[in-house]
Amino acid sequence: MPNILKNISLKSLNTFGLDCKAQYFVEINAIEEMRELVANPLFQSQRILILGGGSNILLTQDFEGLVIKNNISGIELVEENAEHFWVKVGAGEVWHNFVMHSIEKQWAGIENLALIPGTVGAAPMQNIGAYGVEIKDVFWQLEALNLSTREIEIFDHAACAFGYRESVFKHSKKGQYMICRVGFKLNKGVHLHLEYGAILETLKSMHIVEPSIKDVASAVIAIRQSKLPDPKKIGNSGSFFKNPVVPTALYSKLKAAYPDMPAYIQDDQLVKIPAGWLIEQAGWKGKRLGEIGVHDKQALVLVNYGAGKGNDLVKLAQDIQHSVLEKFGVTLHPEVNII
Ligand code: EPU
């Protein structure tokens, strides 16, 4: 039976670095341990929080219940053919380590997702993405433990219902499963996605003409390091809000008033607007309120300078939402889970 601890600080287990405690805390290293835990009366009677890398949560108070840290490890090549590699990865593996391992093995497809904080198990939950690639583009299937039946279920691509920072695990299946292993279909042939953001520019400044997947990862790492704070130094959880998707009519009105507004056309009815731009225009970029603030190089990132409190970050997020709504008529929705 895994060892259940009491009153454990979660400070080092959430990238905001918020000092909240778990009433009960347990680390899981194998699916069998999780099965045993699910059968334990404590599990049955408590609120449950499953933690991956803690990079997408905002803790506002001590967690009265059981926090489970998923440490299931392992990266296994299960099959390959002329075009693809099928790889299964333990949910507890650190996402960036898996990306770097893939690059070493010449498994292509996730090089644009270098340096995203968090674990492999959390990645499909919110369909992580960056620089024109989302995990759904390379997803094969995942194995999840049904917390009621204690059976492993396989979710294929369709069953995950991926959307922009969305999956079924944030909606109809929320809280019902623990993701144990994630399968990816990676490429032998290299199809680079260089068109997004500053990738080409960065490769050029690195004097790279024919980039390898390693070069692309290096460019992505350089861009991310230039804009996003390192959670080891300044607490943060990456983008705090999702980029809002608005009707074309509202977009046209805003574009007329703000011709420089960047935007990504989704289809003939919807347009995605960068929340970072909206927040910056509303005057929040680089604003510091004591121990918390808005990052000075990317306004979509809220930061904890050290002794910040979760509730203060929630209040700041609400103030930002209000001012963006007032100025632009656009509602921002958090990407981060507030607990
Ligand atoms: N912008 C501003 N001011 C800012 C921030 C951004 O004007 O303070 C403008 C930029 O100039 C650019 C546009 O907004 O024209 C987009 O900015 P950026 O390329 O930095 O990306 P983003 O839309 O803010 C998204 C993801 C990031 C991902 C990047 C790169 C979301 C919510 N965020 O950010 O993902 O790394 O694109 O692909 O979709 C995350 O989810 O935690 C995350 C970091």
Side-chain angles (χ1 to χ4, degrees):
M1 181 61 209
N3 191 14
I4 299 176
L5 306 171
K6 274 177 127 180
N7 276 328
I8 296 298
S9 169
L10 298 173
K11 189 170 162 65
S12 65
L13 297 171
N14 72 98
T15 58
F16 260 124
L18 294 163
D19 197 5
C20 293
K21 284 201 178 78
Q23 185 184 10
Y24 299 103
F25 177 81
V26 66
E27 290 190 73
I28 294 293
N29 296 298
I31 295 174
E32 239 357 270
E33 286 181 13
M34 188 65 197
R35 277 216 176 89
E36 282 176 39
L37 181 69
V38 173
N40 186 305
L42 187 79
F43 181 94
Q44 303 291 342
S45 63
Q46 295 295 324
R47 274 176 78 205
I48 301 295
L49 173 65
I50 300 175
L51 270 189
S55 57
N56 205 37
I57 55 166
L58 172 55
L59 297 165
T60 57
Q61 55 194 315
D62 290 345
F63 188 79
E64 300 296 324
L66 173 63
V67 174
I68 302 170
K69 173 83 176 81
N70 183 344
N71 286 338
I72 297 172
S73 65
I75 301 178
E76 187 194 350
L77 174 65
V78 288
E79 212 184 309
E80 63 179 284
N81 67 11
E83 287 161 22
H84 297 291
F85 300 101
W86 282 264
V87 181
K88 283 189 179 176
V89 187
E93 291 285 348
V94 171
W95 173 263
H96 179 67
N97 294 348
F98 169 52
V99 173
M100 292 328 260
H101 181 91
S102 298
I103 287 167
E104 238 164 67
K105 297 280 185 191
Q106 288 299 316
W107 304 338
I110 50 175
E111 52 282 354
N112 292 39
L113 304 181
L115 216 61
I116 296 186
T119 56
V120 167
M125 295 203 60
Q126 60 149 352
N127 182 25
I128 58 168
Y131 306 103
V133 176
E134 290 180 333
I135 196 179
K136 73 167 171 53
D137 304 330
V138 290
F139 180 85
W140 164 33
Q141 62 174 39
L142 63 79
E143 296 163 28
L145 183 70
N146 182 317
L147 301 178
S148 309
T149 65
R150 295 166 64 196
E151 297 295 334
I152 289 287
E153 293 179 23
I154 306 285
F155 286 74
D156 64 13
H157 202 288
C160 291
F162 291 121
Y164 167 55
R165 297 293 192 277
E166 295 290 357
S167 78
V168 74
F169 300 103
K170 283 175 78 174
H171 296 282
S172 61
K173 305 288 186 196
K174 191 173 178 177
Q176 297 167 37
Y177 290 87
M178 179 168 104
I179 295 174
C180 299
R181 291 210 295 175
V182 185
F184 299 90
K185 185 180 166 187
L186 300 169
N187 303 318
K188 279 198 177 165
V190 175
H191 314 279
L192 298 178
H193 297 269
L194 305 177
E195 55 294 333
Y196 192 98
I199 294 190
L200 273 178
E201 212 177 286
T202 307
L203 287 167
K204 208 171 148 200
S205 71
M206 291 158 73
H207 307 292
I208 291 165
V209 184
E210 279 184 55
S212 64
I213 55 174
K214 191 170 183 191
D215 295 329
V216 174
S218 302
V220 166
I221 290 170
I223 300 167
R224 292 187 72 99
Q225 284 177 337
S226 72
K227 285 191 185 180
L228 300 169
D230 177 353
K232 288 190 191 104
K233 294 181 189 138
I234 299 179
N236 76 92
S237 68
S239 301
F240 193 91
F241 299 101
K242 298 204 289 183
N243 285 330
V245 179
V246 306
T248 306
L250 175 56
Y251 163 69
S252 304
K253 208 176 100 193
L254 290 172
K255 188 75 183 168
Y258 306 95
D260 295 339
M261 182 178 73
Y264 312 104
I265 310 287
Q266 304 294 291
D267 53 36
D268 53 10
Q269 292 176 33
L270 296 170
V271 181
K272 193 188 268 182
I273 301 176
W277 184 88
L278 297 168
I279 297 168
E280 179 174 350
Q281 295 299 311
W284 289 97
K285 194 172 187 171
K287 199 157 242 186
R288 182 169 179 162
L289 302 156
E291 285 295 305
I292 60 165
V294 179
H295 189 49
D296 57 352
K297 298 194 187 78
Q298 171 38 298
L300 194 46
V301 178
L302 304 191
V303 295
N304 171 18
Y305 290 105
K309 296 272 176 280
N311 280 324
D312 294 338
L313 284 159
V314 172
K315 167 82 171 53
L316 172 60
Q318 287 167 347
D319 289 346
I320 291 171
Q321 280 170 312
H322 287 148
S323 73
V324 167
L325 182 62
E326 205 163 280
K327 189 170 168 72
F328 298 103
V330 175
T331 304
L332 296 181
H333 297 286
E335 178 186 300
V336 170
N337 294 308
I338 298 168
I339 291 165

